[in-house]
């Protein structure tokens, strides 16, 4: 049963969308499947309502998610920033304002923002906040919003919602796979979504650069704290040599986490010399969102991330030490 506070948030979000036009829609930097599904899902909702909108991200949208876009292009802020400001903004899957990145430079001086998210660490940065921490993905929240607004959404929208659920639940395997998630998935399948095709596209297929990167990163696998902590690392040189893009690192962290006995698995990715992005996955004993927050990041109890300044080895030493303290 829907709680009263969430019902109020849904009504406020619906009113925000009805009241405004000419939206800027943004997700977090380096979008994943839920961020992509949410971005394009909002686009299809606004399209249905006859609203004007612009989609944007700080960098490029991974090519494997562009099947959801249809006729709605998404701008890469670093290459083609808009030449004007936007007064109405919808941010999806961003746990805090900083996750929007440089795109915030496109906001008008007196902008209003609708914050749609599912992270427990969300700091409610919007003028209107639609945040449900027990939702498996932001697309689950959008499914509720579409119902609240009585939208007859398209087949393309159905695919966006299913794609976000599929990726953020690890193919319906993670602990966030609730009865509601399965109910939504069943509803979308009944509408014609080809779930097996999306699973093949998003979860099974590997690019050649991804395989190359996997081969080299497995050689870096290390353990600590009685083998309860494991990690892989990818240097900027490895990344360059493999020809891999950022999206090709999706799923690498699971090779550390899935080792028997490991409670926290991590992937350290050297974006540039002196800047290391860390992905953390927990088996349940440690709240990796709290650990990530200590380094200015955030996320979920079992899946989180942060960025650490310093060399690759310095970042590894600092984060592994914090994880060990958390495990006790």
């Amino acid at each position: 049963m829907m709680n009263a506070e969430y019902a109020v948030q849904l009504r406020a979000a619906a009113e925000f969308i009805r009241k405004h036009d000419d939206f800027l829609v943004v997700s977090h930097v380096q979008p994943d499947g839920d961020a992509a599904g949410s971005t394009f899902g909002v686009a299809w909702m606004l399209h249905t309502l006859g609203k004007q909108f612009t989609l944007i991200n700080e960098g490029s949208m991974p090519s494997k998610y562009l099947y959801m876009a249809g006729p709605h292009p998404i701008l890469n802020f670093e290459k083609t920033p808009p030449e004007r400001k936007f007064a109405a903004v919808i941010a999806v899957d961003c746990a805090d304002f900083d996750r929007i990145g440089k795109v915030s430079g496109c906001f008008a001086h007196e902008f209003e923002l609708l914050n749609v998210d599912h992270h427990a660490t969300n700091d409610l940065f919007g003028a209107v906040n639609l945040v449900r921490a027990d939702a498996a993905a932001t697309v689950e929240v959008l499914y509720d919003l579409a119902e609240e607004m009585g939208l007859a959404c398209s087949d393309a929208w159905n695919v966006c919602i299913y794609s976000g659920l599929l990726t953020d639940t690890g193919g319906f395997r993670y602990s966030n796979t609730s009865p509601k998630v399965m109910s939504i998935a069943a509803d979308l399948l009944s509408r014609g979504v080809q779930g097996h095709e999306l699973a093949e596209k998003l979860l099974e297929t590997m690019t050649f650069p991804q395989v190359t990167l996997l081969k080299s990163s497995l050689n870096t696998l290390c353990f600590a704290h009685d083998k309860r902590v494991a990690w892989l690392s990818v240097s900027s040189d490895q990344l360059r040599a493999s020809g891999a893009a950022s999206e090709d690192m999706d799923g690498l962290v699971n090779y550390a986490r899935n080792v028997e006995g490991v409670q926290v698995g991590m992937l350290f990715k050297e974006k540039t010399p002196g800047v290391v992005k860390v992905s953390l996955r927990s088996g349940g004993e440690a709240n990796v969102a709290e650990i990530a927050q200590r380094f200015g990041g955030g996320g979920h109890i079992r899946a989180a991330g942060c960025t650490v300044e310093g060399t690759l080895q310095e970042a590894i030493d600092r984060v592994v030490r914090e994880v060990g303290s958390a495990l006790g």
Side-chain angles (χ1 to χ4, degrees):
M1 181 178 294
M2 186 182 301
N3 66 51
E5 181 181 358
Y6 185 56
V8 170
Q9 290 185 4
L10 283 169
R11 289 194 293 271
E15 177 58 26
F16 181 94
I17 291 174
R18 292 192 184 103
K19 181 176 70 173
H20 292 285
D21 199 358
D22 191 23
F23 295 93
L24 185 68
V25 182
V26 60
S27 67
H28 59 74
V29 295
Q30 297 185 322
D32 55 12
D34 186 30
S38 298
T39 299
F40 295 121
V42 168
W44 286 108
M45 292 170 72
L46 296 175
H47 176 85
T48 299
L49 292 164
K51 302 281 187 176
Q52 296 184 46
F53 57 89
T54 299
L55 309 181
I56 194 169
N57 196 269
E58 179 178 292
S60 61
M61 175 64 71
S63 58
K64 66 181 178 180
Y65 300 134
L66 293 178
Y67 66 90
M68 292 184 264
H72 311 306
I74 181 165
L75 299 179
N76 179 339
F77 178 82
E78 293 180 337
K79 291 185 176 180
T80 53
E83 297 180 352
R84 63 188 183 91
K85 306 288 187 178
F86 293 81
V89 180
I90 300 177
V92 293
D93 206 37
C94 296
D96 56 63
F97 189 82
D98 288 344
R99 292 287 283 155
I100 293 170
K102 298 175 184 176
V103 174
S104 62
C106 299
F107 300 173
H109 179 65
E110 294 184 353
F111 68 92
E112 290 189 76
L113 185 148
L114 169 60
N115 166 27
V116 185
D117 189 36
H118 73 125
H119 293 91
T121 56
N122 191 287
D123 58 7
L124 306 180
F125 57 89
V128 176
N129 298 288
L130 177 56
V131 179
R132 185 162 188 170
D134 62 351
T138 299
V139 291
E140 180 179 337
V141 180
L142 289 178
Y143 181 92
D144 293 339
L145 180 58
E147 285 200 330
E148 170 68 28
M149 300 184 72
L151 291 180
C153 291
S154 63
D155 291 343
W157 181 84
N158 296 336
V159 167
C160 294
I161 303 306
Y162 192 94
S163 298
L165 287 179
L166 184 70
T167 52
D168 252 27
T169 61
F172 306 110
R173 293 181 296 115
Y174 298 160
S175 61
N176 59 351
T177 307
S178 65
K180 182 179 178 183
V181 165
M182 299 308 288
S183 176
I184 294 172
D187 178 42
L188 297 172
L189 290 170
S190 73
R191 300 186 198 177
V193 171
Q194 299 298 302
H196 64 289
E197 293 181 1
L198 293 174
E200 176 70 22
K201 180 190 297 286
L202 297 173
L203 304 178
E204 302 297 334
T205 302
M206 296 181 71
T207 65
F208 188 79
Q210 192 172 16
V211 173
T212 303
L213 194 61
L214 174 61
K215 287 171 61 180
S216 64
S217 63
L218 283 175
N219 288 327
T220 71
L221 181 62
C222 292
F223 299 87
H225 305 296
D226 299 322
K227 295 184 178 179
R228 293 180 297 161
V229 180
W231 65 92
L232 301 167
S233 60
V234 177
S235 69
S236 55
D237 288 340
Q238 282 177 286
L239 192 60
R240 192 162 42 249
S242 70
S246 179
E247 63 193 87
D248 291 315
M249 288 186 277
D250 288 353
L252 282 182
V253 65
N254 293 325
Y255 287 90
R257 165 64 191 88
N258 291 346
V259 177
E260 184 178 9
V262 169
Q263 287 300 315
V264 177
M266 293 175 287
L267 175 65
F268 293 85
K269 299 166 282 189
E270 186 180 41
K271 296 172 62 177
T272 57
V275 180
V276 180
K277 182 173 173 57
V278 189
S279 299
L280 304 97
R281 299 293 183 269
S282 171
E285 287 190 15
N287 182 338
V288 292
E290 289 184 353
I291 296 169
Q293 280 186 300
R294 297 173 195 173
F295 295 94
H300 303 285
I301 292 175
R302 296 197 175 190
C306 59
T307 299
V308 179
E309 294 185 356
T311 67
L312 187 56
Q313 190 57 53
E314 287 170 346
I316 291 170
D317 292 342
R318 288 177 62 192
V319 178
V320 169
R321 187 164 52 247
E322 285 292 335
V323 172
S325 299
L327 289 175

